[in-house]
């Protein structure tokens, strides 16, 4: 049996997020504590029936967690958790899938707008106190999104909402999803991943919102980049390894594509020596697409729902993994 609320203790483990502080505001009556470092987490995990954690998790901690019954991941990804060991111990696991669908889709739309409206260039000019004059070369001016084609690779929760946002700007939206015969109502057309290279030449913007899988690793490689218009831009809010970073660097340096906006990189943090930092046709955000003022409360909504299901003996959890 799952412990009742008056016997339950939750550990919130994150280096920065204010999860326990936001949880206390809900006045649930459930005991909790927060840890900010791996060492503190290792020392105190033995006190917890429930752990809310993501990047701080290490599977060897299971040996120090005799009371642990449920893990609520803070993020959508759960690759760091050994599902076999959790199953053997009877420990349930749920992801936070969907927690940042609004945030990431809005960030992707913001990156598209920033590239089209040349906002990074404007900010650079502001820093130099430069009032840019009018431009006679049409190809160098800011652009409008209406009538442009957006190719979205990954038409799940994030990609579908991005499609709706893009449609509001008058864009034509082409979607790619694992099963093109289910869902996809928000795009003008939906295709299988195998059709990617036939769709790339028509796209003005290519946005990656897909999970990282064997099929999507380096899905944007040198061949894919060569198929894109010279005026096209790549937007990546998925995972860094969905793109062949060396190939992208070459395409940007050689102006084979117009630009890229990336929230994720193959190695994070992006090394200071990476040439990507210095390219004027690149906009970089530090994997912050999903990090908003509402993130903690969005995670806690999922946690509270799953605690209720566990307490009432329901067999399935929201975003259940184990």
């Amino acid at each position: 049996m799952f412990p009742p609320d008056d016997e339950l203790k939750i550990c919130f483990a994150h280096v920065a997020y204010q999860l326990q502080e936001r949880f206390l505001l809900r006045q649930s009556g459930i005991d909790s504590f927060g840890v900010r470092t791996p060492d503190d987490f290792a020392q105190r995990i033995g006190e917890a029936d429930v752990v809310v954690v993501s990047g701080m998790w290490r599977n060897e901690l299971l040996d120090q967690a005799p009371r642990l019954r449920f893990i609520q991941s803070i993020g959508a990804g759960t690759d760091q958790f050994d599902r076999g060991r959790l199953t053997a111990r009877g420990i349930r696991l749920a992801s936070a899938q969907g927690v940042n669908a609004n945030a990431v889709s809005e960030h992707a739309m913001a990156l598209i707008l920033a590239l089209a409206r040349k906002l990074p260039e404007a900010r650079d000019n502001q820093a130099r106190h430069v009032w840019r004059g009018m431009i006679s070369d049409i190809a160098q001016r800011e652009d409008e999104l209406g009538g442009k084609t957006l190719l979205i690779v990954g038409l799940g929760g994030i990609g579908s909402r991005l499609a709706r946002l893009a449609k509001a700007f008058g864009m034509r939206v082409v979607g790619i999803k694992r099963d093109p015969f289910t869902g996809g109502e928000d795009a003008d057309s939906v295709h299988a991943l195998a059709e990617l290279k036939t769709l790339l030449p028509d796209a003005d913007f290519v946005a990656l919102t897909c999970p990282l899988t064997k099929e999507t690793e380096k899905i944007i490689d040198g061949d894919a980049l060569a198929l894109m218009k010279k005026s096209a831009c790549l937007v990546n809010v998925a995972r860094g390894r969905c793109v062949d970073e060396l190939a992208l660097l070459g395409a940007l340096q050689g102006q084979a594509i117009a630009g890229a906006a990336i929230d994720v990189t193959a190695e994070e943090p992006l090394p200071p020596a990476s040439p990507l930092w210095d390219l004027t046709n690149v906009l970089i955000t530090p994997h912050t697409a999903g990090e908003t003022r509402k993130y903690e409360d969005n995670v806690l909504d999922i946690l509270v729902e799953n605690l209720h299901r566990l307490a009432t003996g329901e067999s399935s959890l929201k975003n259940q993994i184990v």
Side-chain angles (χ1 to χ4, degrees):
M1 292 290 292
F2 195 71
D5 285 358
D6 59 354
E7 297 178 13
L8 197 63
K9 183 175 283 190
I10 302 174
C11 171
F12 295 96
H14 197 279
V15 297
Y17 289 169
Q18 305 297 308
L19 288 157
Q20 192 209 11
E21 293 83 351
R22 299 301 301 177
F23 183 71
L24 291 173
L25 293 176
R26 300 190 178 213
Q27 299 181 333
S28 67
I30 299 174
D31 194 11
S32 67
F33 64 95
V35 293
R36 297 289 185 194
T37 68
D39 287 345
D40 287 345
F41 187 32
Q43 289 175 11
R44 299 199 63 184
I45 191 173
E47 306 171 35
D49 303 288
V50 174
V51 168
V52 184
V53 66
S54 187
M56 208 181 288
W57 178 258
R58 299 294 179 268
N59 287 304
E60 54 267 27
L61 292 169
L62 287 170
D63 298 329
Q64 302 164 234
R67 293 175 50 174
L68 187 59
R69 303 291 299 279
F70 171 52
I71 300 172
Q72 175 64 64
S73 174
I74 296 170
T78 57
D79 291 345
Q80 68 270 45
F81 300 99
D82 187 327
R83 300 180 189 185
R85 291 186 66 184
L86 294 179
T87 300
R89 282 275 307 273
I91 298 170
R92 308 294 299 278
L93 169 67
S95 79
Q97 181 181 358
V99 70
N100 57 11
N102 287 354
V104 178
S105 58
E106 290 172 11
H107 194 87
M109 196 69 228
L111 293 177
I112 291 169
L113 283 164
L115 291 172
R117 303 304 304 172
K118 296 185 177 292
L119 297 185
E121 178 185 315
R123 185 69 181 189
D124 292 344
N125 285 337
Q126 179 181 341
R128 296 195 301 267
H129 298 194
V130 172
W131 185 280
R132 195 205 70 192
M134 294 183 179
I135 296 176
S136 59
D137 185 349
I138 293 176
Q140 297 303 311
R141 297 178 193 167
E142 289 83 354
D143 208 349
E144 301 177 23
L145 295 181
K148 293 287 193 295
T149 295
L150 169 62
L151 174 60
I152 301 176
V153 182
L155 211 58
I158 294 170
S160 293
R161 187 162 187 270
L162 174 59
R164 295 194 294 274
L165 294 174
K167 294 289 287 181
F169 283 89
M171 300 186 79
R172 172 177 172 262
V173 178
V174 178
I176 288 179
K177 67 193 304 283
R178 184 176 302 167
D179 183 357
F181 301 105
T182 61
E185 297 85 358
D186 297 299
D188 292 295
S189 63
V190 184
H191 306 263
L193 188 59
E195 299 180 68
L196 172 65
K197 291 186 177 179
T198 65
L199 298 169
L200 284 169
D202 293 326
D204 298 293
F205 292 88
V206 177
L208 303 184
T209 59
C210 53
L212 177 63
T213 65
K214 282 171 54 176
E215 292 75 25
T216 61
E217 185 165 7
K218 293 188 178 180
I219 191 65
I220 300 297
D221 56 11
D223 291 341
L225 290 162
L227 290 169
M228 292 172 61
K229 298 177 182 179
K230 283 197 169 187
S231 58
C233 293
L234 176 69
V235 174
N236 189 6
V237 293
R239 288 293 184 268
R241 284 163 49 204
C242 291
V243 175
D244 182 334
E245 208 161 87
L246 284 176
L248 176 62
L249 180 63
L252 290 165
Q253 289 174 327
Q255 298 184 335
I257 63 173
I262 53 177
D263 185 58
V264 289
T265 55
E267 181 183 348
E268 295 183 3
L270 182 64
S274 171
L276 287 170
W277 287 112
D278 299 313
L279 295 182
T280 57
N281 55 349
V282 176
L283 173 58
I284 298 170
T285 55
H287 206 150
T288 53
E291 190 173 281
T292 71
R293 300 176 192 184
K294 293 181 65 176
Y295 195 91
E296 285 91 338
D297 288 323
N298 291 341
V299 172
L300 292 176
D301 287 344
I302 298 174
L303 169 68
V304 169
E305 171 68 19
N306 281 330
L307 291 178
H308 172 74
R309 295 190 188 193
L310 289 164
T312 56
E314 292 190 36
S315 59
S316 65
L317 301 176
K318 183 171 184 178
N319 298 337
Q320 178 177 314
I321 305 298
V322 174

